[in-house]
Amino acid sequence: MALDPDAFTRCDRSAVWPILQQRWSEAGRSFDLRQAFALDPDRATHFAIEAPHVFADLSKNLLDRETRDLLVELARECGLPAQRDALFGGEALNLTEQRQVMHWLLRVPPVSAAWRPSGLDRLGAELAEVHATLDAMLAFAERVRADEAITDIVNIGIGGSDLGPQMAVLALDTCAQPQRRRLHFVSNVDGHELDAVLRGVRPESTLFLVASKTFTTIETMTNARSAREWFSAQGGRDVARHFAALTTNVEAARAFGIDTTFGFWDWVGGRYSMWSAIGLPIAIAVGADNFRALLAGAHAMDAHFATTPLERNLPVQLALLDIWYRNFHGFSSRSIAPYHSGLRRLPAYLQQLEMESNGKRVDRRGEPLPFATSPVLWGEPGTNGQHAYFQMLHQGTDVVPVEFIAVRDAAHALPGHHVQLLANVLAQAQALMLGKEDAGGHRHFTGNRPSTMLLLERLDPASLGALVALQEHRVFCSGALWGINSFDQWGVELGKVLAKDLAPRLESGDTEGLDASTAMLVRRLHG
Ligand code: F6P
């Protein structure tokens, strides 16, 4: 069943929207965090949320209980609970492509859990296929792990077919012990990337995974063809043993010459696909049990999102804050600061998740929106960011809400490091909020700069799964309130078409019909 685009009120058409606007001009614009803590002794605990594997301190954000209640009212008026139920009911939320959005189905455990998504009543066949594919993929991963002859795995994929697996493999590095093999990720069409990897591997000990939902993406197909040519040129035999495909387009993989294929379905969006066969590199790195734990952590967050009242529902509360900052305060970016070097690719992963999902200027009916949508996401792991751009966060002219992620237990035994790391993450959040008076100007910190703190007990498969699912659902919620389709990505198409036209022109030098600037650049680059 397709979602009715008119079934839900768009945020700006709700009755509470003008009340929120008034609230912002009367109390939001001048809100002071230090004062708020002084006035409300329970503020820290009141704005803390305990979700599966993730504890969130939202108290250092620029809102009080009254504003939070108005935002919850906004969620109700926009039918957020019903939109969430449509997601877990398997409705075709992706209207422009007439597709269901069911990445959550990939994490439903085989034996009935405490919470069952409503759509399962109709999705028994799909769930059975999910589990059959998962079992086959995990069995393959275990065979690769046991195969002493394979020393290198090269994942060739881009966007959702790269960012999730790469981020998770780095994050779960310590679960991969003993590490007997190297995982490489090649995404860019820039041959430097593949070339560097190929220089360090041998055909007889390498497994190439060609990861592409569509199996048509130019970067991935160019890299895959070059890898196959290199393999043959180096005397490699047995393509069947050394290449596997992860795709919804099994036919195209076969036509490419790959027989070992792990499939998935068009109802899994690329940026939501690390739970599917696209997660094979993760399973090879950490093993089947850890991959199942990753799914279980995400499923626990699904259950939290589906069943927790809006006031205590972490994805909902994060999304409401995002709306408050973007549409009322006018903040145009959010900085992600994971204080764990294993999460160093998380900002890049979240960029695709949020900006490809919600970087839209029209609503579900295609009508231009009169308000701002996706913020720019950016960030680096702490403490590195502190020595680069935190100057701007503390004293710049723009206010940038920061999302800190801290992990209580270290997964290494080096003395002295972890306490420094944790002291720094707390200090940065404190400094942003408290500021510091100094008459001299240069040393003055205004403070009152907002941040959220997400705490994990440890970075393990279950907590990573929960953290990622949390972010998926938060993006879903803000998209639902904005009334946009968060599940298509037409904005990436035009550039692809133009590049197809320009590639032969760069070889021939033909500039006929091009705009003057592009023609000049083609002439410069030709030959
Ligand atoms: O061009 C954008 C995009 O379609 C992303 O949404 C997707 O994750 C990426 O390209 C890769 O697509 P595929 O997995 O089909 O190669």
Side-chain angles (χ1 to χ4, degrees):
M1 200 171 46
L3 189 83
D4 173 2
D6 296 322
F8 302 105
T9 306
R10 208 174 71 188
C11 57
D12 59 315
R13 294 177 177 147
S14 66
V16 75
W17 193 256
I19 302 174
L20 274 162
Q21 277 168 331
Q22 196 183 343
R23 177 85 194 145
W24 182 75
S25 47
E26 284 168 6
R29 189 204 309 256
S30 56
F31 184 87
D32 188 279
L33 274 168
R34 290 135 318 180
Q35 228 171 29
F37 274 98
L39 290 174
D40 183 354
D42 297 330
R43 184 176 167 84
T45 48
H46 185 80
F47 281 96
I49 294 183
E50 195 84 58
H53 304 282
V54 184
F55 172 83
D57 175 8
L58 307 179
S59 67
K60 293 195 194 76
N61 282 295
L62 304 177
L63 85 178
D64 55 15
R65 296 179 190 213
E66 204 176 321
T67 303
R68 199 272 321 273
D69 292 347
L70 289 173
L71 289 165
V72 169
E73 177 52 29
L74 175 72
R76 287 215 176 86
E77 264 199 69
C78 296
L80 187 59
Q83 299 201 52
R84 173 191 64 192
D85 295 348
L87 172 80
F88 290 120
E91 283 187 36
L93 301 187
N94 181 351
L95 290 172
T96 61
E97 296 173 298
Q98 291 300 312
R99 285 182 183 163
Q100 295 162 291
V101 176
M102 301 203 298
H103 43 278
W104 51 268
L105 189 67
L106 301 166
R107 353 203 242 229
V108 172
V111 274
S112 166
W115 166 73
R116 273 177 66 80
S118 61
L120 282 192
D121 298 341
R122 287 181 296 103
L123 295 169
E126 285 84 348
L127 186 62
E129 256 193 81
V130 163
H131 287 146
T133 310
L134 176 65
D135 291 346
M137 168 189 118
L138 293 182
F140 180 79
E142 288 299 336
R143 282 201 298 282
V144 173
R145 283 166 66 79
D147 188 342
E148 299 281 332
I150 298 293
T151 58
D152 293 86
I153 289 95
V154 182
N155 189 78
I156 297 177
I158 196 164
S161 300
D162 165 68
L163 290 163
Q166 193 183 10
M167 177 275 294
V169 164
L170 290 170
L172 301 178
D173 181 36
T174 51
C175 300
Q177 305 302 344
Q179 185 72 269
R180 277 197 301 265
R181 57 193 56 75
R182 289 178 294 267
L183 273 121
H184 312 269
F185 288 86
V186 174
S187 52
N188 203 324
V189 75
D190 181 352
H192 287 103
E193 207 172 72
L194 178 62
D195 186 57
V197 171
L198 294 181
R199 274 188 274 121
V201 299
R202 287 172 299 124
E204 65 277 15
S205 55
T206 301
L207 170 65
F208 291 95
L209 304 176
V210 184
S212 173
K213 178 177 170 181
T214 54
F215 226 77
T216 56
T217 304
I218 198 101
E219 291 89 338
T220 302
M221 298 326 296
T222 305
N223 280 322
R225 273 191 295 272
S226 296
R228 193 183 52 191
E229 275 158 30
W230 170 89
F231 183 77
S232 313
Q234 297 291 310
R237 279 178 240 297
D238 202 358
V239 173
R241 182 170 139 73
H242 290 275
F243 281 79
L246 321 173
T247 184
T248 59
N249 192 350
V250 177
E251 278 311 305
R254 197 166 297 129
F256 184 88
I258 300 181
D259 292 331
T260 311
T261 299
F262 298 96
F264 58 111
W265 306 272
D266 70 359
W267 43 261
V268 183
R271 53 194 172 275
Y272 300 88
S273 66
M274 61 179 259
W275 325 100
S276 71
I278 292 293
L280 180 58
I282 311 172
I284 292 175
V286 301
D289 290 348
N290 280 323
F291 192 83
R292 287 192 194 278
L294 179 83
L295 298 180
H299 180 72
M301 190 58 76
D302 293 341
H304 167 86
F305 176 46
T307 60
T308 310
L310 301 183
E311 292 77 2
R312 315 295 308 151
N313 192 310
L314 189 50
V316 172
Q317 289 300 317
L318 288 178
L320 291 175
L321 262 175
D322 294 342
I323 302 274
W324 181 236
Y325 286 156
R326 189 75 186 103
N327 300 123
F328 295 90
H329 283 276
F331 302 151
S332 58
S333 84
R334 175 163 81 247
S335 186
I336 313 295
Y339 275 63
H340 191 303
S341 70
L343 293 174
R344 61 190 172 277
R345 290 296 287 165
L346 185 68
Y349 176 81
L350 294 180
Q351 279 175 338
Q352 186 196 16
L353 182 62
E354 174 113 25
M355 293 159 78
E356 201 173 70
S357 298
N358 286 345
K360 312 278 165 70
R361 54 170 286 284
V362 296
D363 67 11
R364 289 185 185 119
R365 297 176 57 86
E367 308 211 335
L369 293 168
F371 50 78
T373 59
S374 174
V376 175
L377 259 65
W378 56 284
E380 284 286 322
T383 59
N384 298 16
Q386 291 174 208
H387 298 273
Y389 53 77
F390 268 53
Q391 162 65 39
M392 179 268 196
L393 296 181
H394 288 291
Q395 289 188 316
T397 49
D398 286 308
V399 173
V400 180
V402 183
E403 194 153 298
F404 292 104
I405 301 168
V407 181
R408 190 193 62 192
D409 301 340
H412 63 81
L414 296 173
H417 289 252
H418 202 59
V419 71
Q420 289 290 349
L421 185 69
L422 293 180
N424 270 279
V425 69
L426 295 183
Q428 290 302 321
Q430 214 181 13
L432 286 166
M433 172 173 74
L434 297 179
K436 180 173 161 281
E437 284 297 330
D438 192 290
H442 296 291
R443 292 181 173 80
H444 179 75
F445 293 69
T446 57
N448 202 35
R449 298 197 170 210
S451 68
T452 292
M453 183 74 67
L454 301 179
L455 286 188
L456 312 181
E457 287 184 12
R458 63 197 70 80
L459 186 59
D460 60 14
S463 65
L464 182 70
L467 180 67
V468 174
L470 166 65
Q471 300 288 347
E472 288 178 348
H473 294 320
R474 167 232 212 122
V475 168
F476 170 81
C477 290
S478 49
L481 296 171
W482 283 324
I484 60 185
N485 178 3
S486 301
F487 301 102
D488 58 11
Q489 56 282 323
W490 297 108
V492 300
E493 293 306 320
L494 178 59
K496 290 185 192 174
V497 172
L498 296 180
K500 230 182 193 157
D501 171 58
L502 285 167
R505 287 175 182 272
L506 280 164
E507 277 172 344
S508 67
D510 170 20
T511 59
E512 175 91 32
L514 291 178
D515 63 89
S517 162
T518 309
M520 174 181 72
L521 296 170
V522 166
R523 278 193 292 275
R524 284 248 161 192
L525 292 168
H526 165 59

